[in-house]
Amino acid sequence: MAYSVSVRGCTRSFGDLKTLLAKATPARSGDALAGIAAENEEERALARMCLAEVPLARFLEEPVIPYEADEVTRLIVDTHDPQAFGPLSGLTVGTFREWLLDTGTDTETLTRAAPGITPEMAAAVSKLMRNQDLILAAQKCRVVTRFRNTLGLPGRMSVRLQPNHPTDDVRGIAASMLEGLLYGCGDAVIGVNPASDSLQAVTRLLEMMNAFREKYEAPTQTCVLAHVTNTLRAMERGAPVDLVFQSVGGTEKTLRSFGVTLAQLAEARAAALELRRGTVGDNVMYFETGQGSALSADAHEGVDQQTCEARAYAVARHFEPLLVNTVVGFIGPEYLYDGKQIIRAGLEDHFCGKLLGLPMGCDVCYTNHAEADQDDMDTLVTLLAVAGVNFVMGVPGADDVMLNYQSTSFHDALYVREVLGLKRAPEFEAWLEQMGIADERGRLLGKSAEQKLLPGASEWLS
C-alpha cells in the first residue's frame, strides 16, 4: 500500500510503510549507508507529515517484514494484546503522540497499554517527537524488575559495574569490582564481558564473581556476558549463573548472525529459573541491543535501524528480563556519526523500550573514531537520568580497556545522583550503609570503607 501527502499542490508518495518509516527517521549515517534515508530535509518533513496520519491499526495489517519470513515478526504478531490496544485503536501516529504527552496519560495508563503497543508503533511515534517529548513520555513509564534487589523504582538509578579486563585476569577484575563498590556502583549487576568465550574461562569468572559477592553478602547479581549456548553449558556443569545474557536484534537474520534463536533463549531462561538463585524476584535475563547491529550483519531487510532496534525490544520483552541495555554508540560512526546522532538515538531507544514495558538501561558510549567526545556523553547521561533510565554503565575511568571504547565512569554516576538526587536500589543502599561505604543518605564515606573491604579481598588481589 502506498502512502501519500500533498502540500501546496505537490504530492509525494512512499511505496510502503517500511519506506515511509525510513524516510521519516531523523538523519543518521546508518540509514544513509543502507540507502534508505530521506534524500533531504524536505523529504524527511513530508514523510513525517504523512506518517502522522497513518492509523496505528495499520501497523497490525502491514508488517515491515513478512510474517512468514521472520520469526521476530511472528513473535510480535502472535503476542500482541488486542485488549490492551483497544483504547489506542482509533488513534493515528500523530494523535498517539498527543496522547502520550497528555498530562492525563499517567504511569498506570502506560503500563496497561504496553502489551498492545508494537515496536513499529513505538518507533513511528518517536520519529515525530522532539528530544524533550522523548524524555517527558519516557519519564512517565516505570518498569520495576527484581532478582536480588529491586530495580527501576521512582527516584532511583542503578549502575552496572563493568570490570572488564583484556586477559580476564581475576586480580584486575577483582580490583575493578572493589573500586566500583567503593563508589557505590554495582546495584544493577556486576557484569563482565569475557575476553575469551571458552567454557573454562566463563566458568572460572562465574565462580570468582559469585565467591566475591558471597564474601561481602552484596545484594546484587553477577553475570558473565558470554554467548547463551556457553551459559547453558555452564549451568549444566553446575556453575553459579545468576543472569543469562545475550545480544539480540530485531530480525530473524540478525538473531542468526548472533548465533541464537528464540527457542534457545526460552531454553536458557527456563534453565536459569530452575536454579532459583534470586531472593526477591525471578527476572533472570539480561539483553543488549544497539542501533546498527542489523545493518552491520546485512540483516536489516530494508528496515531503518531505529525501527529494527525497537523490534529487538519485542524479543527482549517476551522473556521478562531484569535488564535491557542499548549500547548506543558502540558500533561506530558508520551507524551513528556524531554526538548529536548518538544523543538522539539514546533517547529514542530508552523511550521505545520503556513504552513497550522494558527495564531500559543505556551504555552511554562512543568509539574513538566517532565525531563525539565525553561532553556529549555528559549530555546524554544527564538527559537519560531525567527521563528515568533504569541503569547506566560504571566503567573504571570511563575507558573500557578490553572492548576499546569510551563509556561512563563511577564518577559519572556520582555526578548524576548528586545533581538529580537519585538513589540506588533500596536493598543495595541498605548494604552500603551496613558496610560503612555510604551513610544513611547515600553519601560515600571514603577511607573507612576501604579499611573494611580491602582486607577481605586479599585472596583475589594477591
Side-chain angles (χ1 to χ4, degrees):
M1 174 180 173
Y3 298 84
S4 301
V5 61
S6 295
V7 178
R8 296 176 182 174
C10 177
T11 299
R12 183 68 63 93
S13 294
F14 305 92
D16 53 25
L17 194 52
K18 176 169 64 177
T19 301
L20 179 59
L21 287 167
K23 299 296 186 183
T25 304
R28 63 205 54 195
S29 52
D31 292 337
L33 179 65
I36 59 175
E39 294 181 4
N40 49 48
E41 289 301 323
E42 178 183 354
E43 184 178 33
R44 184 170 290 113
L46 290 170
R48 288 174 176 168
M49 292 173 64
C50 187
L51 182 61
E53 300 302 318
V54 175
L56 290 184
R58 184 64 198 160
F59 292 91
L60 302 174
E61 302 163 359
E62 186 182 339
V64 295
I65 303 174
Y67 181 91
E68 61 278 3
D70 185 87
E71 72 170 348
V72 177
T73 298
R74 292 192 290 274
L75 178 68
I76 293 168
V77 173
D78 294 346
T79 60
H80 180 253
D81 186 337
Q83 185 173 355
F85 180 63
L88 309 178
S89 59
L91 300 181
T92 64
V93 177
T95 54
F96 184 34
R97 173 186 172 275
E98 295 172 6
W99 180 82
L100 288 169
L101 300 177
D102 191 284
T103 55
T105 303
D106 58 14
T107 299
E108 292 72 21
T109 303
L110 290 166
T111 300
R112 288 195 301 270
I117 300 171
T118 69
E120 291 84 356
M121 295 175 193
V125 74
S126 75
K127 298 175 194 298
L128 306 185
M129 300 172 88
R130 292 172 56 185
N131 286 0
Q132 66 173 250
D133 299 338
L134 297 171
I135 294 168
L136 175 59
Q139 196 274 337
K140 295 194 288 185
C141 299
R142 283 290 160 188
V143 183
V144 178
T145 55
R146 297 174 174 87
F147 189 75
R148 284 199 190 91
N149 56 24
T150 307
L151 305 174
L153 293 170
R156 298 180 186 270
M157 183 193 76
S158 297
V159 175
R160 170 190 162 188
L161 203 174
Q162 185 170 307
N164 294 345
H165 192 279
T167 64
D168 288 339
D169 181 79
V170 294
R171 292 173 300 175
I173 291 171
S176 293
M177 289 168 66
L178 273 171
E179 183 186 18
L181 291 175
L182 287 168
Y183 277 104
C185 295
D187 51 339
V189 64
I190 302 175
V192 171
N193 297 86
S196 168
D197 204 31
S198 74
L199 182 58
Q200 180 181 4
V202 169
T203 301
R204 178 167 55 89
L205 290 175
L206 283 167
E207 291 173 345
M208 183 277 286
M209 294 169 69
N210 183 65
F212 187 102
R213 182 193 60 77
E214 288 185 336
K215 173 80 174 182
Y216 295 110
E217 299 180 331
T220 188
Q221 33 284 328
T222 61
C223 183
V224 175
L225 281 69
H227 192 272
V228 65
T229 54
N230 261 352
T231 304
L232 268 167
R233 292 167 65 198
M235 284 190 281
E236 290 168 358
R237 296 190 178 191
V241 173
D242 288 346
L243 305 182
V244 173
F245 167 81
Q246 183 56 47
S247 295
V248 294
T251 71
E252 181 175 340
K253 287 183 178 179
T254 309
L255 291 177
R256 287 180 183 173
S257 76
F258 290 137
V260 68
T261 65
L262 297 180
Q264 286 176 319
L265 294 176
E267 179 187 359
R269 178 173 181 267
L273 286 171
E274 286 183 6
L275 298 180
R276 291 187 166 90
R277 292 179 57 81
T279 56
V280 298
D282 61 359
N283 298 113
V284 297
M285 304 298 284
Y286 175 15
F287 295 112
E288 285 191 349
T289 66
Q291 288 195 32
S293 59
L295 177 58
S296 67
D298 193 24
H300 61 106
E301 305 277 19
V303 179
D304 69 89
Q305 66 182 41
Q306 192 246 335
T307 301
C308 278
E309 173 72 2
R311 283 170 56 93
Y313 302 155
V315 175
R317 176 169 64 174
H318 185 62
F319 297 101
E320 301 178 11
L322 180 76
L323 307 163
V324 179
N325 177 36
T326 170
V327 191
V328 67
F330 180 72
I331 304 180
E334 300 86 355
Y335 306 95
L336 294 169
Y337 178 71
D338 56 14
K340 181 180 178 67
Q341 292 189 10
I342 292 172
I343 290 168
R344 174 69 191 191
L347 295 176
E348 289 170 348
D349 294 350
H350 178 252
F351 161 77
C352 288
K354 282 291 185 63
L355 187 60
L356 293 168
L358 287 177
M360 288 301 296
C362 183
D363 190 343
V364 177
C365 63
Y366 64 101
T367 57
N368 286 313
H369 62 310
E371 292 294 323
D373 58 29
Q374 213 64 37
D375 285 339
D376 295 313
M377 302 305 102
D378 287 349
T379 299
L380 179 53
V381 76
T382 305
L383 294 175
L384 285 169
V386 173
V389 70
N390 280 34
F391 68 101
V392 295
M393 301 298 108
V395 177
D399 184 3
D400 193 300
V401 295
M402 195 277 280
L403 293 174
N404 293 312
Y405 77 114
Q406 307 303 308
S407 185
T408 49
S409 70
F410 306 141
H411 300 81
D412 295 330
L414 286 178
Y415 144 72
V416 171
R417 287 179 171 139
E418 178 73 19
V419 169
L420 298 177
L422 297 173
K423 297 183 177 182
R424 305 164 181 89
E427 300 89 345
F428 196 78
E429 286 238 313
W431 176 80
L432 291 175
E433 183 179 353
Q434 174 192 331
M435 295 295 293
I437 299 173
D439 63 18
E440 70 279 1
R441 297 174 63 182
R443 296 175 300 187
L444 299 181
L445 297 178
K447 287 293 184 181
S448 61
E450 292 182 24
Q451 294 168 3
K452 193 164 185 178
L453 261 67
L454 290 179
S458 59
E459 62 184 286
W460 295 290
L461 298 180
S462 60

